[in-house]
């Protein structure tokens, strides 16, 4: 019972660490965007403008596919890295790099559209980004511990964590994919429902 509680606390601490890496990555992404020279910012603002325009004028299903696909690719990467015993450092960095993308996107909205862009980012980016990040953080944790179990099995060491159960590992990622799909559907619904408002407000 004591080993189980200790293992549970370790999993919780790892989850908090991965969440911290995500939010740190968000801060880094925002900082990196703000330190770019004017020419590069103009290029990124142009890309951001095209992204916003496309997102607000896409159909519900187009937004759903776009929202789901990026996260799904990272989930697949996490899943596959779990089968590499030496991939634990890379697995921990996935939330960090996801955070960099979030931070840069929010900064791009603000840079391109000012306060109105910040409001749009709060509705169109932040909710879906946090939901997707939650899924990625859990995925990174599961991949991390599966890699540890694989290492223990490969070198005959005693594992204090989960047993090497491929079926359970696969099932967990199927559930995570379902969660990501649900988050993407909500994101698409919010975007579709508010598209006209943001199009008029931002003048695009």
């Amino acid at each position: 019972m004591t080993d189980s509680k200790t293992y549970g606390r370790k999993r919780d601490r790892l989850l908090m660490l991965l969440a911290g890496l995500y939010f740190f990555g968000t801060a880094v992404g925002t900082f990196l965007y703000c330190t770019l020279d004017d020419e590069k910012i103009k290029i990124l603002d142009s890309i951001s403008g095209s992204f916003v325009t496309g997102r607000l004028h896409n159909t519900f299903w187009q937004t759903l596919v776009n929202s789901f696909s990026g996260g799904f690719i990272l989930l697949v990467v996490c899943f596959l890295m779990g089968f590499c015993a030496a991939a634990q450092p890379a697995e921990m960095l996935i939330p960090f790099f996801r955070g960099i993308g979030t931070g840069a996107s929010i900064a791009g909205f603000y840079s391109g559209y000012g306060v109105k862009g910040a409001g749009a980012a709060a509705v169109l980016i932040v909710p879906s980004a946090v939901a997707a990040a939650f899924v990625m953080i859990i995925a990174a944790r599961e991949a991390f511990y599966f890699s540890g179990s694989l290492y223990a099995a490969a070198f005959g060491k005693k594992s204090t964590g989960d047993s090497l159960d491929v079926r359970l590992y696969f099932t967990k990622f199927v559930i995570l994919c379902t969660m990501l799909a649900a988050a993407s559907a909500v994101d698409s619904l919010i975007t579709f429902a508010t598209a006209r408002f943001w199009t008029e407000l931002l003048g695009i």
Side-chain angles (χ1 to χ4, degrees):
M1 182 65 69
T2 301
D3 289 343
S4 178
K5 288 183 178 179
T6 301
Y7 177 62
R9 285 195 292 268
K10 286 182 178 180
R11 287 176 67 87
D12 290 342
R13 285 197 293 268
L14 178 59
L15 194 68
M16 293 176 64
L17 174 61
L18 292 170
L21 286 171
Y22 171 76
F23 287 112
F24 178 63
T26 302
V28 170
T30 303
F31 175 76
L32 290 176
Y33 190 98
C34 295
T35 57
L36 295 174
D37 57 55
D38 292 340
E39 183 177 348
K40 290 180 180 178
I41 286 180
K42 286 181 180 179
I43 295 173
L44 290 178
D45 283 349
S46 176
I47 295 173
S48 178
S50 299
F51 167 77
V52 175
T53 301
R55 184 176 176 86
L56 294 178
H57 290 88
N58 280 343
T59 65
F60 171 85
W61 294 108
Q62 286 174 324
T63 304
L64 176 61
V65 171
N66 292 337
S67 179
F68 177 76
S69 58
F72 178 72
I73 291 172
L74 282 180
L75 273 182
V76 172
V77 170
C78 265
F79 177 79
L80 294 177
M81 285 198 302
F83 289 96
C84 178
Q88 288 182 324
E91 290 156 4
M92 293 187 67
L93 288 176
I94 285 181
F96 174 73
F97 285 111
R98 179 80 183 191
I100 290 178
T102 301
S105 297
I106 294 173
F109 264 66
Y110 181 77
S111 175
Y113 300 98
V115 177
K116 296 177 181 178
V123 175
L124 301 177
I125 291 182
V126 174
S128 60
V130 171
F134 176 73
V135 173
M136 292 304 142
I137 288 167
I138 295 177
R141 183 189 67 179
E142 296 305 323
F144 182 91
Y145 277 108
F146 192 79
S147 291
S149 298
L150 188 65
Y151 176 85
F155 292 95
K157 295 186 177 182
K158 181 180 179 181
S159 175
T160 58
D162 296 330
S163 60
L164 191 62
D165 190 335
V166 177
R167 182 179 297 179
L168 176 61
Y169 181 65
F170 178 77
T171 301
K172 288 179 178 179
F173 272 82
V174 170
I175 294 172
L176 289 173
C177 282
T178 303
M179 292 170 61
L180 180 64
S184 299
V186 173
D187 174 41
S188 301
L189 184 61
I190 292 173
T191 301
F192 185 76
T194 61
R196 183 174 181 181
F197 170 78
W198 292 116
T199 298
E200 294 177 354
L201 184 66
L202 300 177
I204 55 179

